[in-house]
Amino acid sequence: MVTTETAETHVYPVLWQQDHVLIIDQTKLPQDYTMVAISRCEDMLTAINSRLVRGGPALGMAAAYGLYLGARDIQTDDRAAFLERLEAIAEQLKGSRPDKANLLWCLDSMVKVAQDSGGTVAELQTKLLATAQEIQRQDWDICRAIGRYGLAALPDTPEKLTLYTHCNHGALATSGYGTSLGVIRTAWQAGRLEQVIAGETRPWLQGSRLTAWECVQEGIPVTVVTDSMAAYCMQQGWIHGVLVGADRIAANGDTVNKIGTYPLALAAKAQGVPFLVAASLATVDFSLPNAQGVAIAQGNVADVYQIGGTQMCPPGVGAFHPLADITPAKLITAIVTEKGAIAPADLANYASQQP
Ligand code: MRU
């Protein structure tokens, strides 16, 4: 991997450049805006595992380009041998973040394109790059549509909106616009936004480090709060809507998302605040009737007992780091997709409309 400084202002977390991928190193934000050039599948795996790139759709794109880079290095003219190796690389990439429905979906789509296409190995390699680029292009359109439907689903208030968001589901987590932060961006561009309240999102601080950074880049007024302040903000009547993303959504609307999402939904329900999940239909696992019993991936426990490398509790204490929690569908006002804002009870009707 090669690290370079750039002065680029528009935020594209994953960018194809002639023969390599550039990704923003999200571990360094907001202090440093650094891009890393990746030319080999192994380096993409390392980047994903080290969380340089994160957020379901951005991970999906990174993995898709990673698979192409791996495919480019397969040394055979034999189509069957090529496909066998390609499937093995896809499985390896899937293992890097199996909790992200988008990543799994992108890799399955890439493999299917190769399996279904005729032609030589060289032609399949070219087709895989085109598919990764198309996935990225489609994500932009999907996020724009989510932005429009999400704004329409928010209360039509005389005053401008104050919206609460958790984690980062913005440009950095997608092709460059965002899902839940895409709704907020759309509200800002439409002149309907007063400000964003960004929950800091302990322990990895995606809200304070990344969402707040994105808002500042664009001049969107943003206030950071600790996660423990969210219910208070809602109780004060300051919040017109809570917007979150999703790692995986079950067919009944149960939503697996960043740890801390479920308590926000509980508080929103108690305070009568609309709670919107913004995600593409590719995030919905229609084969999963509900999310009860979904295994939750565990993160590094040092993220919990340390902040910025400083120990925050006495030596010898236990620590626990579930990366996600499950928000039951009954707490969700609507799931905002590229096909519209859908009540959880109606979600299953959209199974045939996945991209
Ligand atoms: O662990 P992260 O930072 O990748 O978590 C991101 C999320 O929780 C998401 O909601 C998600 O993957 C969707 S991002 C548009």
Side-chain angles (χ1 to χ4, degrees):
M1 280 193 258
V2 182
T3 301
T4 50
E5 298 289 337
T6 94
E8 172 120 26
T9 48
H10 200 96
V11 176
Y12 297 113
V14 179
L15 196 58
W16 178 255
Q17 297 272 284
Q18 284 154 6
D19 60 355
H20 63 277
V21 188
L22 278 181
I23 60 169
I24 297 173
D25 182 351
Q26 299 189 33
T27 62
K28 298 217 165 75
L29 287 169
Q31 287 81 10
D32 296 310
Y33 182 76
T34 311
M35 299 199 85
V36 176
I38 294 182
S39 305
R40 295 171 60 243
C41 180
E42 293 76 6
D43 289 340
M44 187 60 89
L45 261 171
T46 305
I48 293 173
N49 287 327
S50 317
R51 307 189 70 169
L52 268 63
V53 58
R54 47 147 298 282
L59 282 164
M61 284 163 231
Y65 284 121
L67 184 60
Y68 164 69
L69 293 173
R72 189 171 72 175
D73 285 345
I74 299 173
Q75 303 292 323
T76 180
D77 290 333
D78 181 74
R79 189 189 151 83
F82 174 81
L83 287 176
E84 196 181 324
R85 182 74 196 113
L86 184 78
E87 287 162 27
I89 300 171
E91 286 309 310
Q92 207 184 356
L93 283 160
K94 281 185 187 183
S96 63
R97 286 306 293 268
D99 53 323
K100 301 287 184 187
N102 266 267
L103 176 139
L104 306 182
W105 182 87
C106 287
L107 289 167
D108 284 341
S109 305
M110 292 279 287
V111 170
K112 186 161 175 4
V113 161
Q115 287 166 338
D116 293 352
S117 303
T120 63
V121 165
E123 284 163 346
L124 290 184
Q125 288 164 328
T126 306
K127 185 102 194 193
L128 283 166
L129 174 58
T131 305
Q133 290 174 308
E134 180 59 13
I135 286 172
Q136 180 158 21
R137 199 199 57 69
Q138 276 179 7
D139 182 75
W140 180 270
D141 293 345
I142 287 169
C143 289
R144 294 305 296 252
I146 288 173
R148 288 190 297 274
Y149 286 123
L151 178 57
L154 284 163
D156 192 8
T157 50
E159 72 274 22
K160 288 188 180 180
L161 299 164
T162 293
L163 301 173
Y164 188 101
T165 188
H166 184 62
C167 193
N168 171 266
H169 316 118
L172 288 164
T174 61
S175 54
Y177 194 76
T179 55
S180 71
L181 199 52
V183 176
I184 290 169
R185 243 183 201 107
T186 307
W188 174 247
Q189 287 156 3
R192 294 233 28 232
L193 186 77
E194 181 68 34
Q195 67 162 329
V196 188
I197 309 283
E200 70 171 348
T201 319
R202 275 277 286 146
W204 221 62
L205 306 179
Q206 291 96 323
S208 52
R209 291 194 309 108
L210 307 178
T211 294
W213 180 82
E214 277 193 38
C215 290
V216 167
Q217 302 312 299
E218 224 160 308
I220 300 175
V222 57
T223 297
V224 170
V225 296
T226 66
D227 304 319
S228 53
M229 299 170 189
Y232 172 79
C233 294
M234 290 186 227
Q235 196 179 43
Q236 295 303 305
W238 295 337
I239 311 293
H240 296 99
V242 177
L243 286 147
V244 298
D247 283 340
R248 166 172 281 119
I249 301 173
N252 73 338
D254 287 353
T255 294
V256 183
N257 191 48
K258 180 55 57 200
I259 191 74
T261 301
Y262 174 43
L264 288 174
L266 287 169
K269 185 63 141 191
Q271 296 299 326
V273 175
F275 185 89
L276 303 180
V277 173
S280 71
L281 282 172
T283 317
V284 185
D285 182 348
F286 287 102
S287 70
L288 190 66
N290 61 63
Q292 276 167 32
V294 164
I296 299 296
Q298 301 295 308
N300 183 354
V301 291
D303 293 342
V304 174
Y305 64 73
Q306 293 176 350
I307 296 184
T310 302
Q311 183 91 3
M312 302 311 290
C313 42
V317 302
F320 174 51
H321 185 181
L323 286 170
D325 57 24
I326 299 168
T327 300
K330 64 181 182 206
L331 299 178
I332 297 170
T333 312
I335 296 170
V336 185
T337 72
E338 68 274 30
K339 299 287 178 192
I342 304 168
D346 296 334
L347 189 61
N349 300 332
Y350 287 78
S352 60
Q353 297 200 36
Q354 268 190 330

